[in-house]
Amino acid sequence: MKYIILLFVVMLVGCQNQIQPTIISSERIKTLSDSDILAISQQACIENDKKAIIAPDYHFLSKRLSNLNNKLPRKTNNIELSYKVYLDSEPNAWSTANGCIRINSGLMKLLEDDELQAVIAHEQAHIALKHGISLLRQAPYIEITDKSNEIVIMVKEEISHQYEVEADNYAFDLLVKEKIDPKGLVNMLTKMPIHAKNQPTSHPTNINRINNITNKLKHY
Protein backbone atom coordinates (compact mmCIF):
# COMPACT_ATOMS: atom_id res chain seq x y z
CA MET A 1 0.00 0.00 0.00
CA LYS A 2 1.60 3.27 -1.15
CA TYR A 3 1.17 6.40 0.90
CA ILE A 4 1.95 9.99 -0.01
CA ILE A 5 2.55 12.92 2.32
CA LEU A 6 0.44 16.06 2.41
CA LEU A 7 1.79 19.03 4.34
CA PHE A 8 -0.27 21.77 5.93
CA VAL A 9 1.14 24.67 7.92
CA VAL A 10 -1.44 25.74 10.47
CA MET A 11 -1.88 27.33 13.85
CA LEU A 12 -3.99 24.81 15.74
CA VAL A 13 -6.43 27.15 17.41
CA GLY A 14 -10.15 27.62 17.19
CA CYS A 15 -11.00 23.91 17.03
CA GLN A 16 -13.66 22.52 19.28
CA ASN A 17 -11.23 19.79 20.31
CA GLN A 18 -7.78 21.09 21.15
CA ILE A 19 -5.00 19.12 19.44
CA GLN A 20 -1.89 18.87 21.58
CA PRO A 21 0.01 15.59 20.97
CA THR A 22 2.82 15.27 18.44
CA ILE A 23 1.20 12.21 16.87
CA ILE A 24 -2.55 12.04 16.38
CA SER A 25 -3.74 8.45 16.02
CA SER A 26 -6.43 7.30 13.62
CA GLU A 27 -8.69 6.81 16.66
CA ARG A 28 -8.14 10.43 17.71
CA ILE A 29 -8.75 11.63 14.15
CA LYS A 30 -12.15 9.96 14.20
CA THR A 31 -13.19 12.15 17.14
CA LEU A 32 -12.69 15.32 15.09
CA SER A 33 -15.94 16.85 13.91
CA ASP A 34 -16.41 18.38 10.47
CA SER A 35 -16.28 21.75 12.23
CA ASP A 36 -12.86 20.87 13.68
CA ILE A 37 -11.52 19.94 10.25
CA LEU A 38 -12.97 23.08 8.65
CA ALA A 39 -11.32 25.15 11.40
CA ILE A 40 -7.97 23.45 10.71
CA SER A 41 -8.44 24.13 6.99
CA GLN A 42 -9.25 27.77 7.67
CA GLN A 43 -6.09 28.23 9.70
CA ALA A 44 -4.05 26.42 7.04
CA CYS A 45 -5.36 28.88 4.48
CA ILE A 46 -4.61 31.87 6.71
CA GLU A 47 -1.06 30.72 7.41
CA ASN A 48 -0.32 30.02 3.75
CA ASP A 49 -1.69 33.45 2.81
CA LYS A 50 0.66 35.04 5.34
CA LYS A 51 3.67 33.43 3.67
CA ALA A 52 2.57 34.20 0.10
CA ILE A 53 2.79 37.34 -2.01
CA ILE A 54 -0.86 37.98 -2.85
CA ALA A 55 -1.90 40.01 -5.88
CA PRO A 56 -4.02 42.99 -4.79
CA ASP A 57 -7.61 43.32 -6.01
CA TYR A 58 -6.61 45.92 -8.63
CA HIS A 59 -3.96 43.61 -10.16
CA PHE A 60 -4.88 42.48 -13.67
CA LEU A 61 -4.59 38.81 -12.67
CA SER A 62 -6.95 39.29 -9.72
CA LYS A 63 -9.44 41.04 -11.98
CA ARG A 64 -9.16 38.24 -14.54
CA LEU A 65 -9.72 35.58 -11.89
CA SER A 66 -12.70 37.47 -10.50
CA ASN A 67 -14.30 37.73 -13.95
CA LEU A 68 -13.86 34.01 -14.56
CA ASN A 69 -15.04 32.72 -11.20
CA ASN A 70 -18.13 34.95 -11.39
CA LYS A 71 -19.38 32.57 -14.12
CA LEU A 72 -19.22 29.65 -11.69
CA PRO A 73 -21.03 29.02 -8.36
CA ARG A 74 -20.14 31.38 -5.50
CA LYS A 75 -20.89 28.71 -2.88
CA THR A 76 -20.71 24.95 -2.57
CA ASN A 77 -22.16 22.96 0.34
CA ASN A 78 -23.21 26.35 1.77
CA ILE A 79 -19.53 27.28 1.99
CA GLU A 80 -18.55 30.67 0.59
CA LEU A 81 -15.68 30.30 -1.89
CA SER A 82 -12.69 32.61 -1.46
CA TYR A 83 -10.18 33.26 -4.25
CA LYS A 84 -6.72 34.80 -4.26
CA VAL A 85 -3.85 34.92 -6.73
CA TYR A 86 -0.39 34.09 -5.42
CA LEU A 87 2.41 35.88 -7.26
CA ASP A 88 4.41 32.71 -7.77
CA SER A 89 5.85 31.49 -11.09
CA GLU A 90 5.17 27.82 -10.30
CA PRO A 91 2.04 26.62 -12.16
CA ASN A 92 -0.10 25.45 -9.27
CA ALA A 93 -3.56 25.67 -7.72
CA TRP A 94 -5.04 24.28 -4.52
CA SER A 95 -8.09 24.42 -2.32
CA THR A 96 -9.01 23.68 1.28
CA ALA A 97 -12.15 22.18 2.75
CA ASN A 98 -13.35 25.55 4.10
CA GLY A 99 -13.59 27.13 0.63
CA CYS A 100 -10.19 28.70 0.00
CA ILE A 101 -9.08 28.46 -3.63
CA ARG A 102 -5.62 29.75 -4.44
CA ILE A 103 -4.11 29.97 -7.93
CA ASN A 104 -0.51 30.86 -8.72
CA SER A 105 0.25 33.56 -11.27
CA GLY A 106 2.43 31.08 -13.12
CA LEU A 107 -0.60 28.91 -13.83
CA MET A 108 -2.78 31.86 -14.81
CA LYS A 109 -0.22 33.04 -17.35
CA LEU A 110 0.02 29.52 -18.76
CA LEU A 111 -3.70 28.93 -19.33
CA GLU A 112 -6.45 30.39 -21.52
CA ASP A 113 -9.69 31.52 -19.89
CA ASP A 114 -11.65 28.29 -20.47
CA GLU A 115 -8.69 26.25 -19.21
CA LEU A 116 -8.48 28.36 -16.06
CA GLN A 117 -12.21 27.94 -15.49
CA ALA A 118 -11.61 24.19 -15.72
CA VAL A 119 -9.05 24.52 -12.92
CA ILE A 120 -11.50 26.55 -10.82
CA ALA A 121 -14.25 23.97 -11.40
CA HIS A 122 -11.85 21.16 -10.41
CA GLU A 123 -10.94 22.91 -7.17
CA GLN A 124 -14.61 23.61 -6.44
CA ALA A 125 -15.22 19.89 -6.96
CA HIS A 126 -12.80 18.93 -4.17
CA ILE A 127 -14.74 21.20 -1.80
CA ALA A 128 -18.16 20.05 -2.98
CA LEU A 129 -17.20 16.38 -2.67
CA LYS A 130 -15.59 16.97 0.75
CA HIS A 131 -12.34 15.34 -0.34
CA GLY A 132 -10.24 17.29 2.16
CA ILE A 133 -12.36 16.10 5.07
CA SER A 134 -12.40 12.53 3.79
CA LEU A 135 -8.64 12.35 3.23
CA LEU A 136 -7.95 13.54 6.75
CA ARG A 137 -10.39 11.05 8.24
CA GLN A 138 -8.73 8.17 6.37
CA ALA A 139 -5.20 9.05 7.45
CA PRO A 140 -3.50 6.35 9.56
CA TYR A 141 -2.09 9.16 11.69
CA ILE A 142 -1.27 12.87 11.66
CA GLU A 143 2.06 14.20 12.84
CA ILE A 144 2.49 17.74 14.15
CA THR A 145 6.14 18.74 13.76
CA ASP A 146 8.07 21.38 15.69
CA LYS A 147 8.60 23.35 12.48
CA SER A 148 6.05 26.15 12.16
CA ASN A 149 3.26 23.94 13.44
CA GLU A 150 3.52 21.87 10.28
CA ILE A 151 1.06 19.00 9.97
CA VAL A 152 2.13 15.88 8.10
CA ILE A 153 -0.77 13.80 6.82
CA MET A 154 -0.25 10.36 5.31
CA VAL A 155 -2.68 9.63 2.48
CA LYS A 156 -3.23 6.45 0.50
CA GLU A 157 -1.97 7.12 -3.01
CA GLU A 158 -4.79 5.28 -4.79
CA ILE A 159 -7.44 7.15 -2.80
CA SER A 160 -5.90 10.49 -3.68
CA HIS A 161 -5.77 9.46 -7.35
CA GLN A 162 -9.41 8.40 -7.19
CA TYR A 163 -10.40 11.78 -5.79
CA GLU A 164 -8.61 13.61 -8.61
CA VAL A 165 -10.61 11.68 -11.20
CA GLU A 166 -13.82 12.28 -9.24
CA ALA A 167 -13.02 16.01 -9.19
CA ASP A 168 -12.45 15.98 -12.96
CA ASN A 169 -15.83 14.29 -13.48
CA TYR A 170 -17.60 16.78 -11.21
CA ALA A 171 -15.85 19.69 -12.94
CA PHE A 172 -16.87 18.35 -16.35
CA ASP A 173 -20.54 18.26 -15.36
CA LEU A 174 -20.32 21.69 -13.72
CA LEU A 175 -18.77 23.28 -16.81
CA VAL A 176 -21.45 21.75 -19.02
CA LYS A 177 -24.17 23.02 -16.66
CA GLU A 178 -22.72 26.54 -16.76
CA LYS A 179 -22.38 26.39 -20.58
CA ILE A 180 -18.58 26.47 -20.49
CA ASP A 181 -16.70 24.25 -22.94
CA PRO A 182 -15.44 21.22 -20.93
CA LYS A 183 -12.62 20.70 -23.43
CA GLY A 184 -10.76 23.19 -21.26
CA LEU A 185 -10.13 20.31 -18.84
CA VAL A 186 -8.18 18.41 -21.48
CA ASN A 187 -6.34 21.47 -22.78
CA MET A 188 -5.40 22.47 -19.25
CA LEU A 189 -3.95 19.05 -18.48
CA THR A 190 -1.88 18.98 -21.68
CA LYS A 191 -0.12 22.13 -20.47
CA MET A 192 0.55 20.91 -16.95
CA PRO A 193 3.76 19.08 -15.98
CA ILE A 194 3.47 15.32 -16.42
CA HIS A 195 3.69 13.46 -13.11
CA ALA A 196 6.48 10.91 -12.90
CA LYS A 197 5.18 7.35 -12.90
CA ASN A 198 7.89 6.03 -10.57
CA GLN A 199 7.25 8.50 -7.75
CA PRO A 200 4.30 8.68 -5.34
CA THR A 201 2.09 11.67 -6.09
CA SER A 202 -1.31 12.94 -5.07
CA HIS A 203 -2.36 13.04 -8.74
CA PRO A 204 -2.70 10.24 -11.30
CA THR A 205 -0.74 10.73 -14.52
CA ASN A 206 -2.10 13.44 -16.79
CA ILE A 207 -2.51 10.86 -19.55
CA ASN A 208 -4.94 8.83 -17.43
CA ARG A 209 -6.93 11.93 -16.55
CA ILE A 210 -7.01 13.12 -20.16
CA ASN A 211 -8.23 9.72 -21.34
CA ASN A 212 -11.01 9.80 -18.76
CA ILE A 213 -12.20 13.26 -19.85
CA THR A 214 -11.85 12.40 -23.55
CA ASN A 215 -14.20 9.45 -23.02
CA LYS A 216 -16.74 11.78 -21.42
CA LEU A 217 -16.42 14.23 -24.32
CA LYS A 218 -17.50 11.48 -26.74
CA HIS A 219 -20.93 11.53 -25.11
CA TYR A 220 -21.06 15.30 -24.67
Side-chain angles (χ1 to χ4, degrees):
M1 184 74 70
K2 285 186 178 180
Y3 283 87
I4 58 175
I5 297 174
L6 298 182
L7 299 179
F8 296 91
V9 179
V10 304
M11 295 297 292
L12 292 172
V13 297
C15 299
Q16 293 175 5
N17 296 315
Q18 294 300 314
I19 304 173
Q20 298 295 340
T22 302
I23 299 291
I24 304 175
S25 67
S26 59
E27 289 76 17
R28 179 69 177 86
I29 293 171
K30 292 175 183 176
T31 69
L32 297 176
S33 68
D34 283 5
S35 295
D36 292 331
I37 297 173
L38 289 175
I40 292 172
S41 299
Q42 175 68 19
Q43 289 299 322
C45 183
I46 290 171
E47 292 303 314
N48 277 286
D49 282 355
K50 287 180 180 178
K51 297 189 301 177
I53 301 175
I54 299 173
D57 291 342
Y58 59 79
H59 195 283
F60 76 98
L61 289 178
S62 296
K63 290 181 178 180
R64 180 187 174 202
L65 181 59
S66 179
N67 288 334
L68 294 176
N69 66 46
N70 280 339
K71 299 175 183 178
L72 289 163
R74 303 285 187 89
K75 290 184 177 182
T76 184
N77 295 337
N78 291 319
I79 294 175
E80 190 79 32
L81 301 173
S82 165
Y83 298 88
K84 291 185 186 297
V85 177
Y86 282 4
L87 297 178
D88 187 323
S89 61
E90 180 184 359
N92 192 30
W94 53 269
S95 58
T96 54
N98 65 298
C100 289
I101 296 178
R102 302 294 184 257
I103 301 180
N104 285 4
S105 58
L107 184 61
M108 294 192 66
K109 292 176 181 179
L110 182 67
L111 301 182
E112 301 296 330
D113 284 356
D114 63 328
E115 297 162 356
L116 190 56
Q117 284 175 311
V119 170
I120 296 169
H122 178 93
E123 296 304 331
Q124 283 196 12
H126 282 307
I127 299 168
L129 298 172
K130 299 184 178 181
H131 285 161
I133 293 174
S134 180
L135 283 174
L136 193 147
R137 291 200 186 284
Q138 294 181 66
Y141 68 89
I142 299 175
E143 179 182 358
I144 303 175
T145 72
D146 293 331
K147 181 183 178 181
S148 301
N149 292 318
E150 184 179 76
I151 293 183
V152 180
I153 301 177
M154 302 297 293
V155 176
K156 291 180 181 178
E157 185 179 17
E158 65 269 29
I159 296 296
S160 182
H161 288 191
Q162 173 191 330
Y163 286 176
E164 288 302 314
V165 174
E166 288 181 4
D168 285 341
N169 292 337
Y170 183 103
F172 185 99
D173 293 339
L174 177 59
L175 293 169
V176 170
K177 179 182 177 182
E178 300 298 333
K179 297 180 172 55
I180 299 171
D181 191 348
K183 291 180 183 176
L185 281 164
V186 173
N187 297 334
M188 171 268 290
L189 286 168
T190 61
K191 295 182 179 182
M192 295 296 288
I194 301 296
H195 297 293
K197 293 183 179 180
N198 60 344
Q199 293 182 347
T201 170
S202 63
H203 291 59
T205 64
N206 288 359
I207 293 174
N208 289 345
R209 293 176 66 189
I210 289 171
N211 287 341
N212 172 62
I213 299 165
T214 300
N215 288 334
K216 291 179 70 67
L217 283 169
K218 293 177 181 177
H219 304 287
Y220 166 57

mmCIF file of all heavy atoms in Angstrom, residues 40-64:
data_model
loop_
_atom_site.group_PDB
_atom_site.id
_atom_site.type_symbol
_atom_site.label_atom_id
_atom_site.label_comp_id
_atom_site.label_asym_id
_atom_site.label_seq_id
_atom_site.Cartn_x
_atom_site.Cartn_y
_atom_site.Cartn_z
ATOM 1 N N ILE A 40 -9.370 23.727 11.061
ATOM 2 C CA ILE A 40 -7.971 23.455 10.708
ATOM 3 C C ILE A 40 -7.692 23.948 9.288
ATOM 4 O O ILE A 40 -6.660 24.574 9.023
ATOM 5 C CB ILE A 40 -7.672 21.947 10.824
ATOM 6 C CG1 ILE A 40 -7.714 21.500 12.290
ATOM 7 C CG2 ILE A 40 -6.313 21.615 10.222
ATOM 8 C CD1 ILE A 40 -7.619 20.008 12.482
ATOM 9 N N SER A 41 -8.612 23.690 8.377
ATOM 10 C CA SER A 41 -8.443 24.128 6.989
ATOM 11 C C SER A 41 -8.386 25.645 6.891
ATOM 12 O O SER A 41 -7.587 26.208 6.136
ATOM 13 C CB SER A 41 -9.593 23.596 6.127
ATOM 14 O OG SER A 41 -9.628 22.192 6.115
ATOM 15 N N GLN A 42 -9.239 26.311 7.668
ATOM 16 C CA GLN A 42 -9.250 27.773 7.668
ATOM 17 C C GLN A 42 -7.920 28.331 8.137
ATOM 18 O O GLN A 42 -7.367 29.263 7.533
ATOM 19 C CB GLN A 42 -10.380 28.286 8.574
ATOM 20 C CG GLN A 42 -10.425 29.802 8.743
ATOM 21 C CD GLN A 42 -10.815 30.525 7.471
ATOM 22 O OE1 GLN A 42 -11.389 29.927 6.568
ATOM 23 N NE2 GLN A 42 -10.494 31.797 7.389
ATOM 24 N N GLN A 43 -7.380 27.765 9.195
ATOM 25 C CA GLN A 43 -6.095 28.234 9.698
ATOM 26 C C GLN A 43 -4.963 27.917 8.726
ATOM 27 O O GLN A 43 -4.029 28.701 8.572
ATOM 28 C CB GLN A 43 -5.812 27.615 11.068
ATOM 29 C CG GLN A 43 -6.685 28.164 12.182
ATOM 30 C CD GLN A 43 -6.489 29.655 12.379
ATOM 31 O OE1 GLN A 43 -5.381 30.163 12.286
ATOM 32 N NE2 GLN A 43 -7.565 30.372 12.645
ATOM 33 N N ALA A 44 -5.058 26.768 8.048
ATOM 34 C CA ALA A 44 -4.053 26.422 7.039
ATOM 35 C C ALA A 44 -4.049 27.457 5.925
ATOM 36 O O ALA A 44 -2.994 27.902 5.461
ATOM 37 C CB ALA A 44 -4.336 25.030 6.472
ATOM 38 N N CYS A 45 -5.236 27.863 5.523
ATOM 39 C CA CYS A 45 -5.359 28.877 4.478
ATOM 40 C C CYS A 45 -4.774 30.212 4.939
ATOM 41 O O CYS A 45 -4.019 30.864 4.213
ATOM 42 C CB CYS A 45 -6.831 29.033 4.098
ATOM 43 S SG CYS A 45 -7.121 30.186 2.746
ATOM 44 N N ILE A 46 -5.108 30.604 6.157
ATOM 45 C CA ILE A 46 -4.606 31.871 6.708
ATOM 46 C C ILE A 46 -3.081 31.879 6.772
ATOM 47 O O ILE A 46 -2.421 32.857 6.386
ATOM 48 C CB ILE A 46 -5.204 32.117 8.101
ATOM 49 C CG1 ILE A 46 -6.700 32.432 7.993
ATOM 50 C CG2 ILE A 46 -4.472 33.263 8.818
ATOM 51 C CD1 ILE A 46 -7.413 32.482 9.330
ATOM 52 N N GLU A 47 -2.520 30.777 7.257
ATOM 53 C CA GLU A 47 -1.060 30.723 7.411
ATOM 54 C C GLU A 47 -0.358 30.714 6.058
ATOM 55 O O GLU A 47 0.691 31.336 5.896
ATOM 56 C CB GLU A 47 -0.666 29.489 8.228
ATOM 57 C CG GLU A 47 -1.097 29.555 9.687
ATOM 58 C CD GLU A 47 -0.547 30.778 10.400
ATOM 59 O OE1 GLU A 47 0.649 31.078 10.249
ATOM 60 O OE2 GLU A 47 -1.323 31.442 11.099
ATOM 61 N N ASN A 48 -0.920 30.012 5.087
ATOM 62 C CA ASN A 48 -0.321 30.023 3.748
ATOM 63 C C ASN A 48 -0.424 31.399 3.114
ATOM 64 O O ASN A 48 0.499 31.846 2.429
ATOM 65 C CB ASN A 48 -0.985 28.964 2.864
ATOM 66 C CG ASN A 48 -0.393 27.582 3.062
ATOM 67 O OD1 ASN A 48 0.708 27.295 2.611
ATOM 68 N ND2 ASN A 48 -1.118 26.720 3.750
ATOM 69 N N ASP A 49 -1.548 32.089 3.333
ATOM 70 C CA ASP A 49 -1.691 33.450 2.814
ATOM 71 C C ASP A 49 -0.646 34.384 3.409
ATOM 72 O O ASP A 49 -0.129 35.273 2.729
ATOM 73 C CB ASP A 49 -3.093 33.994 3.132
ATOM 74 C CG ASP A 49 -4.166 33.449 2.194
ATOM 75 O OD1 ASP A 49 -3.823 32.735 1.238
ATOM 76 O OD2 ASP A 49 -5.355 33.734 2.440
ATOM 77 N N LYS A 50 -0.334 34.190 4.684
ATOM 78 C CA LYS A 50 0.661 35.039 5.339
ATOM 79 C C LYS A 50 2.038 34.888 4.704
ATOM 80 O O LYS A 50 2.810 35.845 4.637
ATOM 81 C CB LYS A 50 0.749 34.697 6.837
ATOM 82 C CG LYS A 50 -0.429 35.170 7.672
ATOM 83 C CD LYS A 50 -0.239 34.772 9.126
ATOM 84 C CE LYS A 50 -1.400 35.228 9.986
ATOM 85 N NZ LYS A 50 -1.233 34.806 11.408
ATOM 86 N N LYS A 51 2.345 33.688 4.238
ATOM 87 C CA LYS A 51 3.667 33.427 3.671
ATOM 88 C C LYS A 51 3.754 33.801 2.196
ATOM 89 O O LYS A 51 4.851 33.918 1.654
ATOM 90 C CB LYS A 51 4.018 31.948 3.823
ATOM 91 C CG LYS A 51 4.125 31.468 5.260
ATOM 92 C CD LYS A 51 4.692 30.065 5.318
ATOM 93 C CE LYS A 51 3.815 29.093 4.552
ATOM 94 N NZ LYS A 51 4.397 27.731 4.529
ATOM 95 N N ALA A 52 2.603 33.967 1.545
ATOM 96 C CA ALA A 52 2.571 34.201 0.101
ATOM 97 C C ALA A 52 2.588 35.687 -0.230
ATOM 98 O O ALA A 52 2.279 36.541 0.608
ATOM 99 C CB ALA A 52 1.321 33.558 -0.488
ATOM 100 N N ILE A 53 2.953 35.988 -1.460
ATOM 101 C CA ILE A 53 2.790 37.337 -2.008
ATOM 102 C C ILE A 53 1.483 37.319 -2.785
ATOM 103 O O ILE A 53 1.360 36.638 -3.800
ATOM 104 C CB ILE A 53 3.962 37.714 -2.932
ATOM 105 C CG1 ILE A 53 5.290 37.656 -2.167
ATOM 106 C CG2 ILE A 53 3.748 39.104 -3.519
ATOM 107 C CD1 ILE A 53 6.507 37.887 -3.044
ATOM 108 N N ILE A 54 0.487 38.027 -2.279
ATOM 109 C CA ILE A 54 -0.858 37.983 -2.851
ATOM 110 C C ILE A 54 -1.085 39.192 -3.753
ATOM 111 O O ILE A 54 -0.816 40.332 -3.369
ATOM 112 C CB ILE A 54 -1.915 37.951 -1.731
ATOM 113 C CG1 ILE A 54 -1.724 36.688 -0.877
ATOM 114 C CG2 ILE A 54 -3.326 38.009 -2.303
ATOM 115 C CD1 ILE A 54 -2.607 36.630 0.349
ATOM 116 N N ALA A 55 -1.592 38.917 -4.942
ATOM 117 C CA ALA A 55 -1.896 40.008 -5.876
ATOM 118 C C ALA A 55 -3.059 40.835 -5.321
ATOM 119 O O ALA A 55 -4.074 40.269 -4.906
ATOM 120 C CB ALA A 55 -2.268 39.431 -7.237
ATOM 121 N N PRO A 56 -2.924 42.153 -5.282
ATOM 122 C CA PRO A 56 -4.019 42.991 -4.787
ATOM 123 C C PRO A 56 -5.224 42.927 -5.731
ATOM 124 O O PRO A 56 -5.110 42.486 -6.874
ATOM 125 C CB PRO A 56 -3.400 44.396 -4.760
ATOM 126 C CG PRO A 56 -2.269 44.335 -5.742
ATOM 127 C CD PRO A 56 -1.743 42.940 -5.691
ATOM 128 N N ASP A 57 -6.368 43.398 -5.238
ATOM 129 C CA ASP A 57 -7.610 43.315 -6.014
ATOM 130 C C ASP A 57 -7.514 44.055 -7.346
ATOM 131 O O ASP A 57 -8.158 43.659 -8.325
ATOM 132 C CB ASP A 57 -8.785 43.873 -5.208
ATOM 133 C CG ASP A 57 -9.148 42.984 -4.022
ATOM 134 O OD1 ASP A 57 -8.741 41.804 -4.018
ATOM 135 O OD2 ASP A 57 -9.828 43.476 -3.093
ATOM 136 N N TYR A 58 -6.711 45.134 -7.398
ATOM 137 C CA TYR A 58 -6.613 45.916 -8.628
ATOM 138 C C TYR A 58 -5.645 45.308 -9.644
ATOM 139 O O TYR A 58 -5.564 45.767 -10.790
ATOM 140 C CB TYR A 58 -6.203 47.355 -8.321
ATOM 141 C CG TYR A 58 -4.875 47.491 -7.599
ATOM 142 C CD1 TYR A 58 -3.661 47.401 -8.285
ATOM 143 C CD2 TYR A 58 -4.839 47.712 -6.224
ATOM 144 C CE1 TYR A 58 -2.444 47.536 -7.618
ATOM 145 C CE2 TYR A 58 -3.640 47.837 -5.548
ATOM 146 C CZ TYR A 58 -2.437 47.742 -6.247
ATOM 147 O OH TYR A 58 -1.246 47.849 -5.577
ATOM 148 N N HIS A 59 -4.903 44.263 -9.245
ATOM 149 C CA HIS A 59 -3.960 43.614 -10.159
ATOM 150 C C HIS A 59 -4.731 42.960 -11.306
ATOM 151 O O HIS A 59 -5.829 42.426 -11.114
ATOM 152 C CB HIS A 59 -3.162 42.554 -9.381
ATOM 153 C CG HIS A 59 -1.949 42.062 -10.092
ATOM 154 N ND1 HIS A 59 -1.995 41.147 -11.131
ATOM 155 C CD2 HIS A 59 -0.629 42.331 -9.901
ATOM 156 C CE1 HIS A 59 -0.774 40.891 -11.547
ATOM 157 N NE2 HIS A 59 0.087 41.599 -10.813
ATOM 158 N N PHE A 60 -4.155 42.990 -12.503
ATOM 159 C CA PHE A 60 -4.877 42.475 -13.667
ATOM 160 C C PHE A 60 -5.173 40.988 -13.548
ATOM 161 O O PHE A 60 -6.205 40.506 -14.053
ATOM 162 C CB PHE A 60 -4.090 42.769 -14.952
ATOM 163 C CG PHE A 60 -2.891 41.884 -15.190
ATOM 164 C CD1 PHE A 60 -2.975 40.782 -16.026
ATOM 165 C CD2 PHE A 60 -1.667 42.173 -14.594
ATOM 166 C CE1 PHE A 60 -1.879 39.977 -16.261
ATOM 167 C CE2 PHE A 60 -0.561 41.371 -14.819
ATOM 168 C CZ PHE A 60 -0.664 40.268 -15.657
ATOM 169 N N LEU A 61 -4.323 40.226 -12.840
ATOM 170 C CA LEU A 61 -4.595 38.809 -12.671
ATOM 171 C C LEU A 61 -5.745 38.577 -11.698
ATOM 172 O O LEU A 61 -6.566 37.673 -11.889
ATOM 173 C CB LEU A 61 -3.336 38.080 -12.190
ATOM 174 C CG LEU A 61 -2.210 37.924 -13.211
ATOM 175 C CD1 LEU A 61 -1.006 37.232 -12.584
ATOM 176 C CD2 LEU A 61 -2.684 37.137 -14.441
ATOM 177 N N SER A 62 -5.829 39.397 -10.659
ATOM 178 C CA SER A 62 -6.946 39.289 -9.715
ATOM 179 C C SER A 62 -8.262 39.630 -10.411
ATOM 180 O O SER A 62 -9.287 38.970 -10.193
ATOM 181 C CB SER A 62 -6.729 40.220 -8.518
ATOM 182 O OG SER A 62 -5.599 39.830 -7.775
ATOM 183 N N LYS A 63 -8.238 40.666 -11.250
ATOM 184 C CA LYS A 63 -9.441 41.042 -11.983
ATOM 185 C C LYS A 63 -9.845 39.933 -12.958
ATOM 186 O O LYS A 63 -11.040 39.633 -13.112
ATOM 187 C CB LYS A 63 -9.207 42.348 -12.739
ATOM 188 C CG LYS A 63 -9.083 43.566 -11.834
ATOM 189 C CD LYS A 63 -8.883 44.828 -12.654
ATOM 190 C CE LYS A 63 -8.815 46.058 -11.762
ATOM 191 N NZ LYS A 63 -8.613 47.304 -12.551
ATOM 192 N N ARG A 64 -8.862 39.336 -13.599
ATOM 193 C CA ARG A 64 -9.156 38.243 -14.537
ATOM 194 C C ARG A 64 -9.778 37.064 -13.802
ATOM 195 O O ARG A 64 -10.782 36.496 -14.250
ATOM 196 C CB ARG A 64 -7.873 37.800 -15.243
ATOM 197 C CG ARG A 64 -8.093 36.676 -16.243
ATOM 198 C CD ARG A 64 -6.788 36.147 -16.786
ATOM 199 N NE ARG A 64 -7.003 34.993 -17.636
ATOM 200 C CZ ARG A 64 -6.086 34.079 -17.905
ATOM 201 N NH1 ARG A 64 -4.860 34.189 -17.365
ATOM 202 N NH2 ARG A 64 -6.367 33.048 -18.678
#
